[in-house]
């Protein structure tokens, strides 16, 4: 699939048991062992915990990174490669790994620290809005201090983030088919994450970002880029910036992409893409069987 984009989902796509079927693959066994040496705990133990430990932010982000990275590695081992990559929020780290910007352990160390900082963010609130008037929402956001557009997912689905009072005011102040408060610890992708972002920037600073082997479409800037310094700066901005997923999706046909492969558990990004660019062929690769059945 020479004209395929690989996209990687973020927090919210995790599921109990995800990636456990990969444990029979030698490549995956090596990665799981390497991850345990970095994290100090077993990804396989966490994803198979019946109490849904994997849905705690502290564990969710590293587990998603490890499982999605292994799936990407298995696809490459089977002879597949992407033309471009992108990831939704946490998924951007996997996209950068898949593009060769940093190695597996370096990326996992970043993700672990990111998860720690985000799990400690107790201020703020996020909510998903579905079925709304875009102009009405834009006007309400502009008129309401303390709330921003966090995820511009597709024309009919967004996430807002900010202070509880401001988010509630927007939820109650516009007409929407659904408005749902999200079960997260803080106001991710908003200015309320500024302190965490400043701390994380210092963590990012010494990490070498190599030139990407394929173009990366970043959350805060969907223009394709390969320069390591540019990609690092975009990642610095990601924690407080909006996830511009709708624009990423709309950019794909213009880059010659005809197929989008969602590499990771679930089908969240597939659903978002379907509503934005109907002409794209959509494929899910979330388990070992699907890596083997992907057409050449």
């Amino acid at each position: 699939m020479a004209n395929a984009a690989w996209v990687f989902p973020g927090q919210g796509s995790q599921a109990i048991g995800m990636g456990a079927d990969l444990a029979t693959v030698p490549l995956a066994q090596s990665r799981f062992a390497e991850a345990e040496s970095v994290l100090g705990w077993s990804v396989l133990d966490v994803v198979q915990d019946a109490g849904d430990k994997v849905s705690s932010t502290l564990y969710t982000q590293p587990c998603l990174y490890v499982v999605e990275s292994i799936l990407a590695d298995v696809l490459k081992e089977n002879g597949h490669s992407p033309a471009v990559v992108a990831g939704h929020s946490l998924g951007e780290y996997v996209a950068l790994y898949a593009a060769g910007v940093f190695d597996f352990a370096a990326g996992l160390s970043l993700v672990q620290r990111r998860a720690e900082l985000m799990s400690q963010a107790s201020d703020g609130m996020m909510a998903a809005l579905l079925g709304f008037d875009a102009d009405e929402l834009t006007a309400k956001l502009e008129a309401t201090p303390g709330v921003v557009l966090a995820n511009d997912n597709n024309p009919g689905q967004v996430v807002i983030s900010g202070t509880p009072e401001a988010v509630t005011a927007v939820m109650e102040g516009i007409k929407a088919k659904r408005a749902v408060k999200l079960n997260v610890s803080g106001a991710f992708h908003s200015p309320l994450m500024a302190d965490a972002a400043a701390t994380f920037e210092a963590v990012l600073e010494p990490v070498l970002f190599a030139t990407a082997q394929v173009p990366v479409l970043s959350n805060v800037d969907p223009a394709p880029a390969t320069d390591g310094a540019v990609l690092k700066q975009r990642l610095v901005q990601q924690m407080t910036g909006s996830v511009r997923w709708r624009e990423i999706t709309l950019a794909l046909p213009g880059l010659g992409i005809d197929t989008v492969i969602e590499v990771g558990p679930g089908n969240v990004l597939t659903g978002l893409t379907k509503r934005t660019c109907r002409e794209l062929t959509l494929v899910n690769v979330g388990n070992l069987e699907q890596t083997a059945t992907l057409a050449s």
Side-chain angles (χ1 to χ4, degrees):
M1 292 185 178
N3 297 319
W6 289 7
V7 299
F8 301 91
Q11 196 162 345
S13 290
Q14 72 276 1
I16 295 174
M18 69 176 188
D21 61 329
L22 298 167
T24 59
V25 179
L27 181 156
Q29 292 169 356
S30 174
R31 283 284 184 260
F32 282 128
E34 186 177 4
E36 188 165 355
S37 69
V38 172
L39 298 169
W41 45 268
S42 166
V43 168
L44 283 172
D45 286 350
V46 169
V47 299
Q48 295 178 95
D49 179 78
D52 199 21
K53 193 174 184 178
V54 72
S55 286
S56 168
T57 294
L58 200 61
Y59 296 103
T60 305
Q61 297 187 16
C63 286
L64 282 171
Y65 174 87
V66 170
V67 170
E68 292 176 17
S69 294
I70 291 172
L71 288 168
D73 285 340
V74 172
L75 286 176
K76 289 183 178 182
E77 194 174 59
N78 291 347
H80 301 287
S81 60
V84 301
V85 294
H88 193 287
S89 195
L90 177 277
E92 186 168 325
Y93 289 78
V94 192
L96 291 168
Y97 165 69
V101 174
F102 43 61
D103 66 26
F104 175 79
L108 181 55
S109 294
L110 289 175
V111 167
Q112 183 180 32
R113 186 66 181 122
R114 180 184 192 264
E116 290 168 353
L117 290 168
M118 293 180 75
S119 67
Q120 294 163 7
S122 57
D123 294 331
M125 173 177 159
M126 300 180 77
L129 304 177
L130 294 85
F132 52 87
D133 180 274
D135 292 336
E136 182 186 14
L137 175 61
T138 298
K140 186 64 177 177
L141 287 172
E142 290 176 350
T144 311
V147 60
V148 297
L149 183 66
N151 298 355
D152 181 10
N153 286 328
N154 71 21
Q157 201 244 71
V158 301
V159 174
I160 58 174
S161 181
T163 66
E165 298 79 12
V167 171
T168 301
V170 173
M171 291 174 71
E172 295 176 350
I174 70 164
K175 294 179 181 178
K177 186 178 292 185
R178 288 187 67 199
V180 183
K181 178 184 175 183
L182 300 184
N183 183 23
V184 294
S185 59
F188 304 156
H189 298 292
S190 85
L192 292 181
M193 297 297 295
D195 288 345
T199 301
F200 190 64
E201 183 174 2
V203 175
L204 265 175
E205 199 278 328
V207 180
L208 175 65
F209 275 47
T211 300
Q213 296 163 3
V214 296
V216 180
L217 281 65
S218 301
N219 286 190
V220 299
D221 189 339
T226 57
D227 182 85
V230 170
L231 294 170
K232 178 186 281 193
Q233 183 55 40
R234 290 178 176 180
L235 205 57
V236 166
Q237 298 169 332
Q238 196 220 63
M239 200 176 283
T240 56
S242 177
V243 177
R244 296 163 62 182
W245 196 257
R246 177 181 58 86
E247 294 174 72
I248 288 174
T249 305
L250 289 170
L252 295 177
L255 297 172
I257 299 301
D258 55 29
T259 302
V260 173
I261 301 174
E262 181 172 1
V263 183
N267 57 6
V268 170
L269 299 184
T270 301
L272 296 179
T273 304
K274 185 185 300 182
R275 292 168 177 80
T276 307
C277 280
R278 296 185 182 275
E279 68 268 31
L280 293 168
T281 299
L282 306 175
V283 180
N284 287 92
V285 176
N287 55 49
L288 185 59
E289 180 181 2
Q290 288 171 335
T291 66
T293 57
L294 185 63
S296 299

